[in-house]
Amino acid sequence: MLKNLKEYVKPKDLKEAITILSKNPEKAKIIAGGTSVVISNNKKIEILVDIKNLNLNYIKKNKNEIIIGATTTINELLESKIIQQYCNGIIYKSAYNIASTPVRNLITVGGNISQVYPWSDLPLSLLLVNAKIKIENKSKTRIIPILELFQKHPLVYLKNDEIITEIILPENKNYKGNFVKFAKTQFDFSLVDAAIMVKIKNKEFEDVKLGISATSPLPQILSTSSNMLIGKKTNDKEAINIAIQNTSKEAMVNKDIRVSVEYKREIIPVLLRRLLEEII
Amino acid sequence: MIKINVTINNEKKELEVKPYEKLVDALRRYGYKGTKKGCYEGTCGACVVLLNNKPVNSCLILAPAVENQQITTIEGIGTMNKPHPLQESIVEAGGVQCGYCTPGFIMSAYALLLKNPEPTEEEIKRATDGNLCRCTGYVKKIEGVLKAVEKMRGGK
């Protein structure tokens, strides 16, 4: 329970929201979907700034990019034709098994990437498609690659008066993506998430990104293994075998009370191989 | 305490709530006891209500957040004497045992029928994936929803 919460404010615009946050650096926090803050016991929080009414709820196409407003919910992502068709549905697939219907009506895209839990499904796909994040504060607006946001934990990276306002998906022309969540049940937190982004030209891998999450605090791209495939023919079984097997070694896998590290290392190449075979 | 205006089951209400009070607690305090409190952390779905016609877990929402919004609870869709076809059919199908998950399940199904009056079995499963039942399971509940769809198609 947020025992020390005294005020719940609903600012009319972004400027007002940022002003409240910067005037109360220790006490004020942003709330959007609320699925993590509402059940927290954070005693420091005295003011919650609700950003659900700042008109940040949209998915639109701008030239070659897709722009997602930060307070767009997971179910709104799933209902969007633009998202369903984007890169072979990689974003759609990673959003599909997040929690349950009523929770997906609450969780926002911006919240999901600023809060990032180890088991969060969406951040991995956003990392693989090289999403850009628009962050605004009192004096400036900046757009950074999501990789930068994930260098440290976003909760550390983002200053108290900074708000993620948009998530921008580059076109990624001719790329195909794929994603799978591996968990004990559909509803459970993932044990391993795997995703790939592949560009194939003349039956040859022009670009490959193999990624995993839920094995460490933040999603990872397995660059060494990915690079082993670049320039290889898509029917070169041996090259694929070597690269896929390498992911098991390359991945950072932390301890998990539910299954062993060895088990996760076995699962990672299996999932990545399936994803690859589905799209080549 | 803060005062909030909210529309509950098409009635305008003024509630006095604590800033950190969860919507489920506020609703129950004001007599909407059909909304059940289960896990209290967004997993079980016993507290599902509709917020602007979309199902949400009322244990994951702070009461002040719903100011000027529309809430629908189980009390708003049917009564003992005049139950909603969903309530009637789920009882007929034997989809109720202890009853604790029932209101939340019905609200999820109700929200589905609002936007999709002819759902498939798969769509029903997907729409009610946030409602855990530990007694009867799900087969009879889903049968109940399909029955309700048929009844409602007949214009009842």
Side-chain angles (χ1 to χ4, degrees), chain A residues 239-256:
Chain A
I240 292 175
N241 264 339
I242 294 171
I244 291 290
Q245 279 314 318
N246 196 62
T247 60
S248 176
K249 277 182 274 171
E250 188 185 356
M252 181 162 86
V253 182
N254 292 354
K255 271 191 183 166
D256 186 324

Side-chain angles (χ1 to χ4, degrees), chain A residues 46-60:
Chain A
E46 292 182 27
I47 305 168
L48 279 177
V49 182
D50 187 334
I51 61 162
K52 288 279 275 183
N53 305 307
L54 304 184
N55 295 323
L56 292 174
N57 200 315
Y58 49 80
I59 298 166
K60 55 189 181 194

Side-chain angles (χ1 to χ4, degrees), chain A residues 1-3 5-6 8 10 33-35 38-39 48 76 78-79 96 100-106 186-187, chain B residues 19-20 22 40-43 48 54-57 59-62 64-67 69 115 126-130:
Chain A
M1 199 180 280
L2 297 162
K3 273 280 183 207
L5 181 65
K6 292 180 183 69
Y8 190 102
K10 288 182 152 185
T35 52
V38 169
I39 56 171
L48 279 177
E76 285 162 348
L78 291 169
E79 283 162 14
Y96 192 83
S100 62
T101 301
V103 186
R104 282 191 296 270
N105 279 330
L106 292 171
Q186 183 193 313
F187 197 73
Chain B
Y20 56 81
K22 290 181 176 184
Y40 211 41
E41 56 178 31
T43 303
V48 167
K54 286 184 179 169
V56 291
N57 299 80
C59 71
L60 292 180
I61 298 174
L62 294 178
V66 302
E67 165 133 57
Q69 315 284 311
K115 58 172 195 181
R126 173 78 174 165
T128 57
D129 63 354

Side-chain angles (χ1 to χ4, degrees), chain B:
Chain B
M1 291 293 237
I2 38 179
K3 281 187 181 156
I4 57 162
N5 290 302
V6 53
T7 305
I8 305 176
N9 302 331
N10 291 325
E11 275 181 292
K12 287 209 156 80
K13 295 271 177 181
E14 190 185 86
L15 312 186
E16 272 192 61
V17 298
K18 295 185 192 102
Y20 56 81
E21 188 170 11
K22 290 181 176 184
L23 179 60
V24 59
D25 293 319
L27 286 172
R28 291 181 57 82
R29 206 158 47 74
Y30 277 90
Y32 300 98
K33 293 203 170 170
T35 304
K36 301 300 180 207
K37 194 165 149 181
C39 70
Y40 211 41
E41 56 178 31
T43 303
C44 77
C47 69
V48 167
V49 298
L50 306 198
L51 172 60
N52 305 324
N53 285 337
K54 286 184 179 169
V56 291
N57 299 80
S58 58
C59 71
L60 292 180
I61 298 174
L62 294 178
V66 302
E67 165 133 57
N68 298 325
Q69 315 284 311
Q70 287 188 40
I71 303 288
T72 314
T73 70
I74 189 82
E75 288 88 352
I77 71 163
T79 61
M80 280 295 264
N81 296 328
K82 205 170 172 241
H84 187 274
L86 268 170
Q87 295 173 304
E88 216 172 62
S89 307
I90 288 171
V91 170
E92 282 165 14
V96 178
Q97 220 174 85
C98 89
Y100 207 80
C101 72
T102 315
F105 180 91
I106 289 178
M107 293 318 290
S108 289
Y110 179 78
L112 169 69
L113 299 191
L114 281 182
K115 58 172 195 181
N116 177 5
E118 297 278 337
T120 62
E121 197 173 320
E122 278 311 307
E123 286 167 332
I124 297 168
K125 283 183 187 170
R126 173 78 174 165
T128 57
D129 63 354
N131 300 91
L132 302 189
C133 170
R134 300 286 91 140
C135 305
T136 74
Y138 305 95
V139 174
K140 291 178 177 181
K141 285 192 173 61
I142 290 161
E143 270 173 35
V145 179
L146 286 168
K147 250 182 157 180
V149 168
E150 234 169 82
K151 274 187 200 172
M152 289 163 80
R153 191 189 296 141
K156 199 199 155 192

